């Protein structure tokens, strides 16, 4: 979780460890509307990101989870892996009963998921560190997201502007909440320091929970800051997704390939300097 800047592109070498940082259930791996990718980046010895994707027993609810280990804590890599798997497994099991109708019950469900994830992390043997965590549960009718930290979730409607669904727990976000312009807040000292996390020494485990009803075809993206730090401006992010989709491989039905888009986002972050681990999870909604 490092503050990034624009720098000259470097040669991207294969990340042979990436396969261990993403986990798709058999049901998720069989879907052609899902994709996940992770890369160590160009400046780190280990990949402390992790992602897990799943489908509930009804086949209706898609669950995407991305965790980003806090590098200043011992065992951050394993923390992210445990957190992503635990949140994914709990929510896929729970969604078999359907998403609650009442907003308070939805919030309570996500709070339980984050609390169980925290407990799995702090009870690990040997002890592991801390991580940020973002979770999205999606159906064609509704997307519900929850997060702690600065791992983000976005909705990119086809032909429209991106919508950021998550709200960071960070110094920069706290300053923006007080009225500071985004550009100034994100450039300030300590802007990217997180104010909440899961795992070691965490004291506030209440996630920010947001629900959204998509009206059009588009892309749901959950990503670590190793990507979004390079495209903090929403207009730039919208243009990047549109450009990558236009050049991505399409299937027999003319639909863009999620795996191609995920790979393109990884390449983009590395071309900007690859200052951090990069992880993306994608779901394609076709109206």
């Amino acid at each position: 979780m490092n503050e990034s800047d624009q720098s000259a592109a470097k040669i991207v070498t294969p990340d042979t460890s990436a396969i261990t940082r993403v986990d798709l259930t058999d049901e998720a791996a069989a879907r052609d509307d899902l994709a996940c990718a992770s890369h160590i980046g160009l400046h780190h010895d280990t990949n402390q990101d992790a992602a897990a994707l799943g489908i509930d027993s009804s086949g209706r609810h898609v669950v995407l989870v991305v965790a980003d280990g806090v590098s200043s804590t011992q065992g951050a890599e394993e923390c992210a892996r445990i957190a992503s798997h635990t949140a994914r497994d709990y929510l896929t099991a729970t969604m078999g009963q359907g998403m609650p109708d009442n907003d308070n019950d939805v919030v309570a469900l996500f709070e339980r998921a984050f609390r169980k994830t925290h407990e799995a992390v702090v009870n690990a043997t040997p002890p592991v560190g801390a991580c940020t965590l973002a979770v999205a549960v999606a159906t064609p009718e509704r997307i519900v997201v929850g997060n702690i930290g600065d791992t983000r979730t976005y909705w990119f409607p086809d032909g429209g502007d991106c919508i950021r669904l998550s709200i960071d727990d960070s110094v920069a976000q706290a300053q923006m909440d007080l009225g500071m312009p985004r550009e100034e807040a994100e450039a300030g000292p300590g802007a990217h320091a997180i104010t909440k996390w899961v795992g070691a020494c965490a004291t506030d485990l209440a996630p920010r929970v947001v629900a959204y009803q998509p009206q059009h075809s588009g892309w749901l993206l959950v990503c670590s800051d190793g990507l979004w730090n390079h495209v903090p401006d929403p207009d730039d992010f919208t243009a990047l997704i549109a450009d990558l989709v236009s050049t991505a491989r399409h299937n027999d039905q003319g639909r863009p390939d999620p795996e191609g888009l995920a790979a393109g986002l990884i390449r983009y972050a590395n071309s900007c300097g690859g200052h951090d681990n990069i992880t993306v999870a994608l779901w394609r909604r076709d109206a």
Side-chain angles (χ1 to χ4, degrees):
M1 294 164 47
N2 296 329
E3 184 173 356
S4 62
D5 54 39
Q6 300 292 326
S7 62
K10 298 184 179 182
I11 296 174
V12 179
T13 56
D15 182 7
T16 55
S17 67
I19 190 67
T20 66
R21 306 309 298 164
V22 299
D23 186 85
L24 283 73
T25 62
D26 291 342
E27 294 80 7
R31 297 272 292 253
D32 62 3
D33 57 350
L34 291 170
C36 189
S38 185
H39 196 278
I40 197 172
L42 305 179
H43 297 272
H44 287 266
D45 295 327
T46 62
N47 188 346
Q48 296 178 340
D49 287 357
L53 277 62
I55 310 291
D56 78 316
S57 58
S58 73
R60 281 187 42 79
H61 295 87
V62 174
V63 179
L64 297 85
V65 182
V66 173
D68 181 356
V70 178
S71 58
S72 60
T73 63
Q74 187 71 28
E77 184 175 356
E78 181 65 3
C79 175
R81 188 194 68 81
I82 292 173
S84 61
H85 285 221
T86 302
R88 187 269 315 275
D89 293 346
Y90 177 78
L91 286 168
T92 53
T94 304
M95 285 302 102
Q97 305 167 25
M99 181 72 73
D101 295 325
N102 182 277
D103 288 346
N104 290 335
D105 292 338
V106 171
V107 171
L109 169 64
F110 273 70
E111 288 178 343
R112 287 194 299 273
F114 276 73
R115 187 168 59 251
K116 286 180 178 293
T117 298
H118 170 76
E119 291 169 353
V121 168
V122 298
N123 291 327
T125 304
V128 296
C131 68
T132 67
L133 184 68
V135 172
V137 179
T139 67
E141 297 79 28
R142 192 182 191 199
I143 299 168
V144 183
V145 305
N147 74 285
I148 285 179
D150 62 355
T151 298
R152 291 185 177 179
T153 305
Y154 296 86
W155 171 249
F156 294 89
D158 291 353
D161 296 333
C162 87
I163 300 168
R164 190 173 127 195
L165 300 178
S166 58
I167 303 171
D168 293 347
D169 296 304
S170 69
V171 170
Q173 184 63 52
Q175 292 174 325
M176 285 185 278
D177 290 344
L178 294 174
M180 183 178 290
R182 178 182 63 80
E183 294 81 0
E184 183 180 351
E186 291 180 346
H192 291 265
I194 58 173
T195 55
K196 289 172 61 176
W197 57 89
V198 170
C201 300
T203 57
D204 185 352
L205 298 173
R208 300 177 186 254
V209 181
V210 174
Y212 179 76
Q213 292 180 310
Q215 303 298 314
H216 306 284
S217 298
W219 298 93
L220 176 64
L221 169 67
V222 186
C223 66
S224 62
D225 62 347
L227 172 62
W228 68 256
N229 266 332
H230 294 294
V231 276
D233 182 79
D235 292 340
D236 292 343
F237 214 158
T238 297
L240 173 64
I241 293 291
D243 181 63
L244 291 174
V245 168
S246 70
T247 58
R249 188 171 62 248
H250 286 61
N251 62 20
D252 295 339
Q253 289 75 42
R255 295 171 180 168
D257 173 35
E259 290 186 0
L261 177 55
L265 290 168
I266 297 290
R267 286 194 302 271
Y268 175 81
N270 278 321
S271 75
C272 293
H275 295 281
D276 203 352
N277 308 145
I278 313 139
T279 299
V280 301
L282 285 160
W283 172 63
R284 171 67 186 178
R285 178 188 188 270
D286 285 302

